Structures are given as C-alpha cells and as structure tokens.
C-alpha cells in the first residue's frame, strides 16, 4: 500500500482516488492485522471499518473476504461503505441477510469476491453445506465481543480455522468489556493472537479528534406527546409479552429491552 507522508489520502489500485483519509494509527493497526489474527479495540467513530478495509484490500489477492456484522443495518452500512470507496465492481460485493433465499445466496456466494453478512445466515449456510470457507482469505467480525457461548461467531470462527490454508481473522469492537477472562475467551474463540487498542487520548490518535462543546438544556415535554408515549409504551409492553411467551425474550417490559436487542432478535427470527 502506498501511503506517502505528504499525501492526505491513501492511494491504492482498489481504492477510489481521494476518498480514504490517511490516518497513521489506522495504517499502523492495519499493518499488524495483515501479519496476525487481531482484535481491534477502538471507540465508536474512530474508523474500525477503515482499518478492516486496509487489511481487506491486502488479502483480496489471496481469496474471498467474509465480513460479518450482527445486525442487518450494520451489514448494509458496511456493504455500502465498501462499494463507495472501492474500485471493485459492485456486483462482486454481495450483501447477505435473511431476506435473501438460500438458493440465491449459494449462487451469489460463488460469484462474489466480498460477502458482507449477518452471522446467523452464514452459520445456517455452513450447516446446510451451501457454502464453504476454504477460499476465505480474511474473516472480519464486527462487534466481536459477541464471540462467546453459542453465538454464531464462535461456530464460524471454529469452522474457518479448520478450512483455509492461511486463515486470518480481524475482530473489531468498541466494548470488549473489562473482564480479562471474557476477553481471553473471545480471543480463543476467534483464534486471535494479538490485541490492538487505542483511545482518543493516545498520541497517534489525538490529532484526529475534535474537541466537543456540550451544552445541556432541559425542555418541558407537551402533555399530548406524553400521552402518545404512554400509548406506545403499552403497545410495546404487549408485544414484548408475546415474544416472551414464545420464548424469544426474557425481559417483560418494553422499556427494559433496547432497540439493538430487538434488531438482533429480528435477524434471528427472520433466519429461522
């Protein structure tokens, strides 16, 4: 990869001109990710996906890339980013979610150079022998802190370690947790050998961080909106109750369930 100090943008045949800003900490972490399976720990907004992109364009010459993210919106976001910044034909970057039929996924898999997918879809396709990981040159896992217990990441990483000649894993997370045992479990599950971590206070990151001025203001919510909120809360509680009866969720009240959890649950139900 050509990254001259005087240039503001990264130059590479697989990248469109003047679209990816050159940041030294991203390039440094990506270089480590090219050599060994790696977990990247960076706060949200510091460009984990850009680091994945740098490793991806290096490994693409060796085979297919599998990029996993836990929810459909994240999958679509990552896929759109790759299509926006890469010179690769968009048809070679395929997006897999539960909305695409299994037969169609099988055909798209064979033709694609990069597959961006939810992990449940890939796990099901592996179990059904519709796809193989033998040609995967790089496995990227967004929000890799989920790789514990029975989560799909664990099974996929295990299968990946068995199949390719040169397996390489790149895990990314903003919140691996403070429990050393859990972090160790994640690394073992993914076959990760090293961890690269940065915060906004690190010397190589600080030049790219903009100072924030925050002013808190308290507003009085109109009575009509409060009334609508009570109605919506009641509907949400009812729906959560139905999901609990079906065994999909343990929490009883809507306010105890996050939007993130509901999006993940939708993916699971859709695949099933």
């Amino acid at each position: 990869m050509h990254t001259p100090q005087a240039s503001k943008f990264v130059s590479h045949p697989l990248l469109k001109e003047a679209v990816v800003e050159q940041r030294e900490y991203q390039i440094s972490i990506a270089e480590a990710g090219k050599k060994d399976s790696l977990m990247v720990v960076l706060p949200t907004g510091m460009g984990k996906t850009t680091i994945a992109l740098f490793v991806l364009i290096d490994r693409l010459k060796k085979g297919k890339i599998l990029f996993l993210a836990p929810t459909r919106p994240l999958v679509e976001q990552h896929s759109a980013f790759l299509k926006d910044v890469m010179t690769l034909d968009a048809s070679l970057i395929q997006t897999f979610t539960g909305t695409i039929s299994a037969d169609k996924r099988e055909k798209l898999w064979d033709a694609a150079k990069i597959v961006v997918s939810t992990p449940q879809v890939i796990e099901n396709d592996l179990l059904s022998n519709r796809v193989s990981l033998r040609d995967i040159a790089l496995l990227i896992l967004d929000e890799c802190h989920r790789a514990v217990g029975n989560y799909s990441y664990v099974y996929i990483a295990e299968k990946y370690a068995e199949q390719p000649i040169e397996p390489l894993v790149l895990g990314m997370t903003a919140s691996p947790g403070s429990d050393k045992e859990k972090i160790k479990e994640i690394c073992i599950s993914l076959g990760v050998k090293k961890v690269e971590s940065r915060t906004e206070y690190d010397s190589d990151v600080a030049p790219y961080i903009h100072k924030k001025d925050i002013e808190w203001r308290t507003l009085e919510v109109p009575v009509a909106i409060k009334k609508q909120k009570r109605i919506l809360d009641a509907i949400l509680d009812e729906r959560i109750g139905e999901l609990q009866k079906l065994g999909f969720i343990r929490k009883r009240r809507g306010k105890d369930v996050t939007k993130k959890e509901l999006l993940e649950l939708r993916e699971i139900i859709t695949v099933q």
Side-chain angles (χ1 to χ4, degrees):
M1 188 185 304
H2 180 53
T3 54
Q5 291 294 322
S7 174
K8 185 181 177 183
F9 299 98
V10 175
S11 178
H12 190 279
L14 286 172
L15 295 179
K16 294 176 183 176
E17 287 296 322
V19 293
V20 180
E21 183 183 359
Q22 179 173 285
R23 295 188 175 189
E24 291 305 319
Y25 72 92
Q26 293 176 335
I27 294 170
S28 173
I29 295 172
E31 287 302 316
K34 295 174 188 177
K35 298 171 185 174
D36 293 299
S37 290
L38 182 72
M39 181 195 296
V40 178
V41 182
L42 281 178
T44 301
M46 283 176 53
K48 291 185 291 294
T49 310
T50 301
I51 293 169
L53 172 70
F54 293 157
V55 182
L56 181 157
I57 59 178
D58 180 70
R59 293 291 289 189
L60 200 56
K61 60 182 177 287
K62 294 180 179 289
K64 198 189 299 285
I65 309 296
L66 179 57
F67 194 147
L68 302 178
T71 65
R72 188 184 304 169
L74 273 174
V75 165
E76 292 170 349
Q77 177 183 314
H78 290 318
S79 183
F81 170 74
L82 295 177
K83 290 175 182 177
D84 284 344
V85 302
M86 295 186 72
T87 56
L88 200 66
D89 191 299
S91 66
L92 298 176
I93 304 173
Q94 290 296 333
T95 307
F96 284 11
T97 65
T99 60
I100 301 173
S101 71
D103 290 340
K104 186 175 181 181
R105 289 199 304 266
E106 189 172 359
K107 293 175 183 176
L108 293 173
W109 174 275
D110 291 336
K113 290 289 290 179
I114 301 171
V115 173
V116 190
S117 177
T118 51
Q120 293 85 6
V121 165
I122 299 300
E123 181 179 26
N124 285 347
D125 286 351
L126 285 170
L127 289 168
S128 303
N129 292 316
R130 281 189 288 266
V131 303
S132 166
L133 301 180
R134 64 178 176 271
D135 297 324
I136 299 298
L138 173 65
L139 173 62
I140 303 170
L141 305 106
D142 191 17
E143 296 195 10
C144 67
H145 58 272
R146 297 167 184 269
V148 292
N150 295 322
Y151 193 69
S152 299
Y153 278 176
V154 177
Y155 175 78
I156 294 168
E158 180 182 305
K159 287 297 176 186
Y160 179 57
E162 294 173 359
Q163 297 189 55
I165 298 172
E166 296 181 78
L168 189 69
V169 176
L170 180 68
M172 307 186 296
T173 180
S175 52
S178 57
D179 187 334
K180 290 184 179 179
E181 286 304 313
K182 183 184 177 184
I183 295 172
K184 185 177 179 181
E185 181 185 353
I186 295 167
C187 290
I188 292 171
S189 294
L190 299 182
V192 163
K193 298 179 180 178
K194 294 177 63 179
V195 177
E196 285 276 353
S197 177
R198 298 286 194 284
T199 71
E200 60 185 51
Y201 304 107
D202 284 304
S203 58
D204 57 348
V205 176
Y208 306 100
I209 302 298
H210 300 288
K211 291 184 178 179
K212 307 177 188 73
D213 292 322
I214 300 173
E215 179 183 350
W216 293 95
R217 295 192 179 187
T218 303
L219 301 175
E220 183 61 35
V221 179
V223 174
I225 293 180
K226 289 181 179 178
K227 183 179 179 181
Q228 290 298 320
K229 184 180 183 302
R230 285 196 296 271
I231 294 170
L232 291 172
D233 283 344
I235 294 171
L236 182 58
D237 285 342
E238 180 185 341
R239 300 293 169 84
I240 293 298
E242 290 299 319
L243 288 170
Q244 198 240 5
K245 289 177 186 176
L246 292 169
F248 283 111
I249 206 162
R250 293 180 181 178
K251 298 172 182 176
R252 280 292 304 174
R253 296 176 59 78
K255 66 180 181 182
D256 297 326
V257 182
T258 66
K259 178 182 177 182
K260 184 178 178 181
E261 288 173 309
L262 289 173
L263 287 170
E264 291 171 4
L265 184 58
R266 181 179 69 178
E267 284 294 331
I268 294 168
I269 293 172
T270 302
V271 171
Q272 289 181 348

